[in-house]
Amino acid sequence: MLNNLTTQYPDPIMQLITLCREDTRDTKIDLGVGVYKDGAGQTPVMHAVRAASKKVWDNETTKVYTGLSGDPEFGQAMRKLVLADSVDAERVGVIATPGGTGAIRQAFELARLANPDLTVWTSNPTWPNHLAILKFMGIPNTEYAYFDEVSCNVDFDAMMGSLKGVQAGDMVLLHGCCHNPTGANLTLEQFGLVADLIADKGALALVDIAYQGFGDGLEEDAAPTRLLASKLPEMLVAASCSKNFGVYRERTGCLMAISEDASMTAKTQANMNYLNRVAFSFPPDHGARLVTTVLTDETLTAQWKTELEEVRLSMLGLRTQLSDELRQRTNSDRFDFIAQHRGMFSRIGATPEEVMKMREDFAIYMVSDSRMNIAGLKPSTVPFLAEAIAKSCK
Ligand code: LMR
């Protein structure tokens, strides 16, 4: 029977990991998958997370199952981190999930349980796995305009124009901060207008927040999600801890569901628990426990915030350096948007051929849509990249 399977090709981000690994040129620069690297090119375990790990090791007395929703303390800690007091805690149901991807999958499953005729609206472009999961699940997908390829910024008028087509019962997927793949983000005011439109249409917002703390700061990056939560009667939030806690391989994240009023929360929560049960029973706990330990210990929280801020500032520094280098080399302000973008990624507006030229001539690996992971750079490699971009992009 397995003979009947057709070939599955890895998505462009996964493909790039292999291609870059196989390149033997020692000057190669990996700007592919969204993983933070420090100045030494390492993806370190954060000190606060290492300390939490020791604490868990010393104090954990059992590995017995948690609950279908995961450890409730994790759910509370994540609700506070992401939503703060923007919404009454009684209205929020939470399940722990295997990473942010698990949360996205469960969000689509939950919305489809509520509306079997679900259509999901995604930004053009969006993270390729959003589209792959929707396709796999057979959920219709409509794209809304988002990115202006010429200015490399958000085309907000076009976005609002296409969102006019949203119907009651549709889902609108928004990136809470640090848009992936473009790096171009809405202002808080624009998020407010999108919230009003979603409310008017009777649609359900799903906020994917995978980079809180990587853009303008921990609180600033959560502000759009909190604004939406305060304005909308119902909302889903898929949060990832992979990047901001550096716990990529632990698969740590959660789905939060805000119900219209507190009396609905138990039913929503029971549906979420059910979805975990039929997918994998109990969600992974180790990473969630590390995150909870950091977020419930004042000293560890302070240490984590300091480390996260260092990561954020190092990416901002690389952005400024790269856009300055490109200004000098191209004698223009064409790439100034790189300094204005936020988060790990910038889509720089190069054609697939130009991206390929940079790969072949300079061993620079970015996704073929010209998304590059800023955190894959070091101050010492920025001039080389700037040279490659200036020489390869028309
Ligand atoms: C990315 O976009 O590179 C990350 O979110 C990692 C992934 O799973 O694709």
Side-chain angles (χ1 to χ4, degrees), residues 66-67 69-81 94 96 254 285 288-289 291-297:
T66 53
S69 62
D71 178 10
E73 239 199 307
F74 172 66
Q76 290 308 319
M78 288 302 291
R79 180 184 57 73
K80 287 185 194 150
L81 180 70
V94 190
C254 67
D285 179 70
R289 201 155 290 275
V291 166
T292 311
T293 305
V294 170
L295 292 176
T296 54
D297 176 313

Side-chain angles (χ1 to χ4, degrees), residues 11 13-14 32-35 101 127-129 180 211 243 345 371:
D11 76 25
I13 301 171
M14 296 297 110
V33 69
V35 166
T101 307
W127 183 48
N129 210 21
N180 178 7
Y211 299 91
K243 280 86 179 179
F345 307 113
R371 181 193 90 165

Side-chain angles (χ1 to χ4, degrees), residues 298-324:
E298 257 178 48
T299 311
L300 292 184
T301 306
Q303 189 180 14
W304 169 68
K305 284 185 178 171
T306 306
E307 289 179 79
L308 182 58
E309 192 60 4
E310 277 167 18
V311 166
R312 187 180 80 82
L313 293 176
S314 79
M315 287 187 294
L316 275 185
L318 289 163
R319 285 187 177 282
T320 313
Q321 190 192 349
L322 180 58
S323 90
D324 287 350

Side-chain angles (χ1 to χ4, degrees), residues 6-54:
T6 55
T7 307
Q8 298 290 345
Y9 295 99
D11 76 25
I13 301 171
M14 296 297 110
Q15 270 172 26
L16 211 55
I17 296 178
T18 318
L19 285 173
C20 186
R21 252 183 218 148
E22 285 168 358
D23 192 322
T24 52
R25 289 173 286 182
D26 55 12
T27 54
K28 70 182 172 188
I29 307 182
D30 179 4
L31 305 179
V33 69
V35 166
Y36 172 75
K37 296 197 190 114
D38 63 15
Q42 301 300 321
T43 304
V45 179
M46 293 171 101
H47 292 102
V49 171
R50 193 181 283 286
S53 185
K54 167 105 178 49

Side-chain angles (χ1 to χ4, degrees), residues 47-114:
H47 292 102
V49 171
R50 193 181 283 286
S53 185
K54 167 105 178 49
K55 223 175 145 183
V56 169
W57 174 255
D58 288 343
N59 298 315
E60 198 169 47
T61 53
T62 181
K63 288 286 187 190
V64 77
Y65 292 126
T66 53
L68 290 176
S69 62
D71 178 10
E73 239 199 307
F74 172 66
Q76 290 308 319
M78 288 302 291
R79 180 184 57 73
K80 287 185 194 150
L81 180 70
V82 179
L83 295 170
D85 55 6
S86 60
V87 59
D88 179 3
E90 302 286 300
R91 286 175 54 210
V92 187
V94 190
I95 46 171
T97 54
T101 307
I104 293 287
R105 174 66 187 262
Q106 297 299 54
F108 293 153
E109 296 281 7
L110 185 68
R112 186 167 61 177
L113 273 185

